Amino acid sequence: MAQAFVLSFAEGVTVEARSSDCVVIEMPVTYKQYTFKGLSTGLRQAIDTLSSTGATEEDLARVVQETDGTSSLSRLYYYLMIFAERRVLSYSIFNGGHSLATLSPSSDSFRFAPAPVDPRARYTLSRFAYLHREREGMVLESPLTHGRIILHGWEGAAVATELAEPRTLESLWNGLPSVPRDAVARFLEMFLGAGFLSELKPGELHPGESEALAQWEFHDLLFHTRSRMGRHARPFGGTYRFYTRIEPLPATKKLDAPAETVDLYRPDMNTLEQEDFPFTLVLEERKSIREYGERPITDRQLGEFLYRSARVKDLVRTEFQELSSRPYPGAGAIYELELYLSVHSCENLAPGLYHYCPKDHRLEKICGLTETVEALLKDAAGSAGIDDRPPQVLLTIAARFQRLSWKYESLAYSLLLKDVGVLYQTMYLVATAMDLAPSAIGGGNSDLFTQAAGIDYYAETSVGEFLLGSKRI
């Protein structure tokens, strides 16, 4: 007979003995506490076993029966049911005295019921399942599931690899002669019961998937589930996980040795408040324009555009990190976004690549119109469908991602994308009010940008592109 799953308390669950017959069990992350009173000696031994080595349900029942008699068995099964419902149990596969894999809950919706395996059915791993290293082990996860499987040896990875193609239980046994048959069957039950497997049926686009699920790409669904609460038990929100460990980046970036600097025009905001186009008119007239006037945008217009859409209005120092205020909203007032300008044609401004310093409201020149800068402009023109003529100015939005990840866990990158969206809208509205030609671009080449700017892809990389030029009359 195949060995049953070994039950134990999940990683992070703590058990505090308040007295000989009372324990308090605390959940990780949520810090929920559950108090159990009036415990018999056998039940206390069972709970101690769950918090240490673990045991099968049969072995736990034997301990309780031998210590208390059959009268306590019903309470044991009741407590095991409560532990399962409150997601404090993990389930392990053992072979020869060592653990092969452990299934643990990763959300409040976790439920595990070992699924019976049909010997005739063909099973395959979900296309959303992924294996990655965590600490010193391998972890199998999926945005479809509410649990994660820690693989303690090569056997689990071998089973998962075989299941990349549809397999019956018999074909798995034949393909993995070095893995005990009982363990292979137990892996199949665990993967299937936890939601990592689907049974292959005729006519399905993707096994076990609805029409709605079939239209998700792997990276999109993973990003969605991991940057919102509900399907993971990771720390979420402003945890300041690197506080006292890594110095936070400053609120604004300056180039160490720019080739030259260009002070930009600063508009009179009081005058604009009186004379600017009405907001509703600007909002209604906003649209993407990819045709430019014969006379290019001027340095004065460019200065006004940047001042009105992206300058630093105020700097604030907190005990954690520098914050700022700008014309567009930013997550946590952190403002991780940086603007780089690839200039092809602008009156009174030499072609080349520039970094915008929002604090001093000036441009810092990085280089001239090099081959890579021209490639950026050509790439942007192709994305915008204007291959016949390069854009006058390409604004590349880059991100110093560590500004956000220093404070936020789980949702940092999703906040970054929201910040890009609100900056897009702000630049659209400002350009419309100034009667210029604006257009956001859906995607760009981040590697090409970092080559052109000479910066580390992982320290700062492009996350958005925006075209700007004079409007055709």
Side-chain angles (χ1 to χ4, degrees):
M1 185 179 71
Q3 186 186 31
F5 290 103
V6 172
L7 310 181
S8 61
F9 287 131
E11 183 181 5
V13 172
T14 60
V15 179
E16 178 188 354
R18 294 285 175 86
S19 65
S20 61
D21 67 343
C22 175
V23 298
V24 175
I25 297 176
E26 186 173 288
M27 295 275 288
V29 182
T30 60
Y31 303 109
K32 293 179 180 177
Q33 290 186 342
Y34 304 105
T35 302
F36 296 88
K37 299 179 180 179
L39 299 174
S40 65
T41 303
L43 290 173
R44 271 299 311 272
Q45 289 180 11
I47 290 175
D48 289 343
T49 300
L50 288 172
S51 62
S52 56
T53 59
T56 64
E57 184 175 310
E58 182 180 350
D59 288 339
L60 291 171
R62 185 181 302 112
V63 168
V64 170
Q65 187 172 12
E66 290 175 354
T67 306
D68 298 338
T70 57
S71 60
S72 292
L73 284 178
S74 60
R75 288 189 68 191
L76 170 68
Y77 294 130
Y78 172 74
Y79 284 144
L80 291 177
M81 180 186 69
I82 293 297
F83 294 158
E85 289 180 351
R86 294 177 180 174
R87 278 79 60 186
V88 297
L89 288 182
S90 64
Y91 306 82
S92 297
I93 299 171
F94 272 74
N95 180 67
H98 70 278
S99 176
L100 302 182
T102 300
L103 170 64
S104 296
S106 58
S107 86
D108 284 344
S109 298
F110 175 78
R111 297 288 186 277
F112 177 60
V117 175
D118 183 349
R120 298 165 298 177
R122 294 195 301 159
Y123 298 101
T124 186
L125 199 66
S126 165
R127 65 188 178 93
F128 292 101
Y130 64 101
L131 190 65
H132 66 106
R133 184 183 70 82
E134 191 172 285
R135 299 175 188 168
E136 297 179 355
M138 299 300 292
V139 179
L140 183 66
E141 295 189 88
S142 168
L144 300 182
T145 69
H146 295 273
R148 57 206 301 268
I149 299 175
I150 303 169
L151 302 177
H152 305 294
W154 61 269
E155 294 91 343
V159 173
T161 300
E162 285 293 309
L163 288 167
E165 296 182 12
R167 301 288 190 193
T168 62
L169 179 58
E170 183 71 29
S171 65
L172 271 179
W173 284 338
N174 294 335
L176 298 167
S178 299
V179 183
R181 288 197 167 199
D182 284 354
V184 171
R186 194 58 50 174
F187 271 116
L188 204 57
E189 289 180 10
M190 176 182 281
F191 289 177
L192 186 60
F196 288 90
L197 293 184
S198 296
E199 182 182 346
L200 186 66
K201 296 179 180 179
E204 289 183 319
L205 179 62
H206 294 294
E209 296 183 16
S210 64
E211 286 187 358
L213 184 57
Q215 295 174 70
W216 279 91
E217 290 190 70
F218 165 78
H219 62 282
D220 289 330
L221 187 58
L222 177 59
F223 175 65
H224 175 68
T225 57
R226 289 303 296 270
S227 60
R228 301 187 66 81
M229 293 183 288
R231 292 201 175 186
H232 67 90
R234 306 299 178 92
F236 187 89
T239 61
Y240 294 99
R241 55 182 166 151
F242 294 112
Y243 183 58
T244 72
R245 297 169 56 196
I246 299 176
E247 282 295 314
L249 294 177
T252 59
K253 173 186 175 179
K254 285 187 179 180
L255 299 189
D256 292 334
E260 63 179 274
T261 60
V262 179
D263 291 327
L264 294 168
Y265 167 73
R266 297 171 181 259
D268 184 339
M269 300 304 289
N270 291 328
T271 301
L272 283 174
E273 287 177 5
Q274 301 298 320
E275 300 179 358
D276 214 11
F277 288 123
F279 175 73
T280 300
L281 176 63
V282 171
L283 196 61
E284 291 298 310
E285 290 294 316
R286 183 218 55 80
K287 61 182 177 181
S288 295
I289 301 174
R290 303 180 183 89
E291 296 179 343
Y292 306 112
E294 292 298 321
R295 181 182 175 183
I297 189 173
T298 68
D299 60 330
R300 182 185 175 97
Q301 289 173 315
L302 190 58
E304 179 178 334
F305 171 82
L306 292 170
Y307 190 86
R308 295 176 66 174
S309 59
R311 78 186 187 280
V312 169
K313 299 167 69 175
D314 190 26
L315 278 174
V316 179
R317 293 182 182 273
T318 72
E319 63 173 309
F320 295 108
Q321 60 188 140
E322 279 188 322
L323 306 177
S324 65
S325 172
R326 307 190 190 188
Y328 64 96
I334 288 172
Y335 292 99
E336 73 289 348
L337 301 180
E338 299 286 333
L339 292 181
Y340 291 81
L341 286 72
S342 298
V343 177
H344 179 267
S345 52
C346 176
E347 284 191 8
N348 304 316
L349 186 62
L353 179 63
Y354 297 83
H355 169 255
Y356 173 59
C357 177
K359 180 182 177 183
D360 299 326
H361 187 54
R362 68 182 187 185
L363 297 179
E364 300 169 329
K365 190 170 184 178
I366 298 173
C367 60
L369 204 59
T370 63
E371 184 178 339
T372 50
V373 175
E374 288 185 326
L376 280 175
L377 289 163
K378 183 178 180 181
D379 184 65
S383 296
I386 52 172
D387 296 324
D388 59 322
R389 188 176 181 185
Q392 295 177 6
V393 177
L394 164 66
L395 290 98
T396 300
I397 303 170
R400 293 184 294 157
F401 180 65
Q402 291 75 23
R403 280 279 297 168
L404 279 174
S405 62
W406 190 86
K407 174 183 178 180
Y408 293 108
E409 285 191 71
S410 296
L411 75 165
Y413 196 80
S414 67
L415 293 177
L416 183 156
L417 296 182
K418 294 178 176 71
D419 288 346
V420 173
V422 296
L423 178 56
Y424 272 171
Q425 176 73 335
T426 301
M427 293 195 297
Y428 261 119
L429 296 179
V430 170
T432 302
M434 293 179 62
D435 207 26
L436 297 173
S439 178
I441 300 177
N445 190 323
S446 295
D447 280 292
L448 186 61
F449 164 73
T450 53
Q451 291 171 25
I455 53 182
D456 181 356
Y457 185 99
Y458 300 105
E460 183 179 349
T461 189
S462 59
V463 291
E465 289 79 21
F466 195 91
L467 302 182
L468 187 69
S470 60
K471 192 173 178 181
R472 178 178 290 181
I473 300 175

